[in-house]
Amino acid sequence: MALTQAKKLGLTSKILIGMGGGILFGLLLRNLFPESIFIDEYITEGFLHVIGTVFVSGLKMLVVPLVFISLVCGTCSLSDPSKLGRLGGKTIAFYLFTTAIALSMAILIAIMIHPGNASMVSEGLTFNAKEAPSLAEVIINIVPTNPMQAMSEGNMLQIILFAVIFGFAISHIGERGKRVAALFNDLNEVIMRVVTLIMQLAPYGVFALMAKLALTLGLETFSSVVKYFFVVLGVLLLHGFVVYPTLLKVFSGLNPLTFIRKMRDVQLFAFSTASSNATLPVTIETAEHRLGVDNKVASFTLPLGATINMDGTAIMQGVATVFIAQVYGVDLTITDYAMVVITATLASIGTAGVPGVGLIMLAMVLNQVGLPVEGIALIIGVDRLLDMVRTAVNVTGDTVATVVIAKSEGALNEEIFNDTQAGKTAGNFSDQVKGQEA
C-alpha cells in the first residue's frame, strides 16, 4: 500500500521531500560531525557535490538546443514581421515595467524599515567589482560573429538573435522552408521529451543540492545582516505572490491561484538551482503544456526573460543600495533614488549575459550614486540564499509576462490553463510510457 502511494506522488511532492530530506540530512551531519575531514571531502565535496552538479549540468545541457529549436519553431509561425516586432516590443516593455515596480517597492520598504546600522562597518572590507560593459559594447555583442561559438559559450542574446533570423528566413522560402520547419517541430518534441526525462532526476538532485547547502552555510554567516536578509526576502515574496498575481489578473483576467499552483515545479527548480537558464527547460515545458501558451510566444518570451528579466535581482539592488547607504551614513536624495531605479532598470537589459551580473549591476548602481562598492562585501555572505529565492521570483515573472502576452496575442489556450490536470507530463511520465508500450 505504501509503495502504491509513493508511486502516486507527483513531481512537486517528490521535490519537496527531496528538499526537506536534504536539509535535514545536511544539518544532521554538520551537528554530528562538525569538524570531520571525511564528511567534508567525501560527502560534501564528493558524493553530494557530484550528484548536485550532474543534475544542474543535465538541465543546462538542454538550454541551448531547447532555446534555439523552440525559438526557430516559434519564429517560423510568425511570417509577418510586424507580429514579431509587436511581440518583442510588448515583451521588453512588460519586463521593464515589472523591474521598475520591483525596484521602487524595494527602495520604499527599505527606507521605511531601515535595515542598515552604521556600527556594522568594519575595516578592510573589499570587493573587486568587474567592470560592466558600455552600451556600445552591449549592442555590438548582441550580433554573433560566430553562431556556433555563441552556442558553445551559451551567449543567450546572440543565440536568440540568430534563432529569430534563422526562423524568419525559413518562413520565407516556400515549400523548402515548410520541410525544414517540420523537422524543427519534430526536434522540439524530442527535446521536450528529454526535459521530461531529466525532470525525473529532480528529487535526487535537489536532495544533494540542499544537503550540501545545509552542510556549508550556517546561520552565523548572516547573523550580522539578518535584518537586511529578511527585508529582501519579504519584498521578494511580496513581489512574487502579490504583485505578479495582481498583474496577471489585471492584464489577462485569469485566475492567479491556478497560475501559482501550476508554477510550483518551476519555482522549486529555480530555488534549487539558483539559475534561470538551468530552469528554462522546465519553464518552457510548463508554460506550453500546463498553462496553454502557444510555442510561438513561449519560445520567444521565456528565453528573453531568462536573459534580461531580473526583478529579483532588482529587488536585491534596491534594498542593498539603501542598506549600504545607511551603513556608511550617506543620505541619498530623491534624485539619487530615481537614478537608482532608472540605472538598474536599464541595466537589466544592458548587462545581460555577463557572469556575476547581479553584483556587477549593483556595483554600477552604487557608483552611480556615489556609494562605496566595498559595501557589497557586507551582503555577500547571505547572497547565496537570497539568490535562490530571487531566481524563483525571476522565473515567475518570466512566466507571468508570457501568459499575459500570449493572452493579448490570442495565443493562449484557456482550457489548458484552467485544467488542473493539464500537462502533468513529469509526474505521470512512467504511466505514459506504460500506456505506449501496451
Side-chain angles (χ1 to χ4, degrees), residues 229-357:
F229 175 85
F230 282 110
V231 170
V232 176
L233 182 63
V235 180
L236 286 169
L237 295 177
L238 180 65
H239 196 64
F241 292 101
V242 177
V243 174
Y244 282 145
T246 301
L247 292 176
L248 180 70
K249 184 67 177 177
V250 169
F251 288 107
S252 71
L254 298 169
N255 189 338
L257 295 178
T258 302
F259 173 84
I260 290 172
R261 280 197 297 269
K262 292 191 173 188
M263 280 296 293
R264 286 181 301 185
D265 289 352
V266 179
Q267 290 168 338
L268 289 171
F269 268 90
F271 181 83
S272 303
T273 61
S275 170
S276 296
N277 281 338
T279 311
L280 191 55
V282 186
T283 314
I284 292 177
E285 196 269 348
T286 298
E288 292 184 10
H289 297 111
R290 299 207 65 195
L291 297 173
V293 178
D294 194 292
N295 173 263
K296 67 185 178 185
V297 174
S299 64
F300 180 82
T301 58
L302 288 172
L304 190 61
T307 308
I308 70 172
N309 184 41
M310 300 179 183
D311 287 6
T313 305
I315 287 170
M316 178 273 288
Q317 290 166 358
V319 177
T321 300
V322 176
F323 173 76
I324 291 170
Q326 292 169 351
V327 167
Y328 283 91
V330 178
D331 292 324
L332 297 180
T333 64
I334 294 177
T335 305
D336 291 329
Y337 288 125
M339 188 58 66
V340 169
V341 173
I342 294 170
T343 303
T345 301
L346 295 178
S348 66
I349 292 179
T351 56
V354 180
V357 66

Side-chain angles (χ1 to χ4, degrees), residues 57-69:
S57 297
L59 288 171
K60 288 183 176 180
M61 170 184 70
L62 299 176
V63 171
V64 170
L66 176 65
V67 169
F68 181 71
I69 293 170

Side-chain angles (χ1 to χ4, degrees), residues 97-240:
F97 174 63
T98 58
T99 301
I101 291 176
L103 267 165
S104 303
M105 184 171 63
I107 290 173
L108 182 62
I109 292 175
I111 291 172
M112 292 169 59
I113 296 179
H114 203 286
N117 187 329
S119 64
M120 295 172 60
V121 178
S122 338
E123 297 268 338
L125 285 176
T126 58
F127 173 77
N128 297 320
K130 295 180 182 178
E131 185 178 351
S134 66
L135 179 60
E137 289 175 316
V138 170
I139 295 172
I140 291 170
N141 290 334
I142 288 175
V143 182
T145 56
N146 184 341
M148 297 301 109
Q149 182 181 359
M151 292 182 185
S152 68
E153 294 176 352
N155 191 318
M156 297 308 296
L157 283 181
Q158 293 186 357
I159 294 169
I160 289 170
L161 180 64
F162 179 68
V164 167
I165 295 172
F166 193 80
F168 189 71
I170 289 174
S171 68
H172 283 76
I173 56 173
E175 288 301 317
R176 286 173 293 182
K178 290 179 180 178
R179 292 197 296 271
V180 177
L183 171 63
F184 270 90
N185 283 322
D186 290 342
L187 288 172
N188 192 49
E189 290 299 317
V190 174
I191 286 290
M192 285 311 218
R193 180 50 58 94
V194 177
V195 171
T196 302
L197 291 170
I198 294 291
M199 287 167 72
Q200 302 308 302
L201 302 175
Y204 310 103
V206 168
F207 175 88
L209 290 168
M210 292 297 102
K212 183 182 177 185
L213 187 68
L215 276 164
T216 56
L217 193 64
L219 292 176
E220 64 277 4
T221 306
F222 58 85
S223 60
S224 62
V225 286
V226 65
K227 198 171 182 180
Y228 161 83
F229 175 85
F230 282 110
V231 170
V232 176
L233 182 63
V235 180
L236 286 169
L237 295 177
L238 180 65
H239 196 64

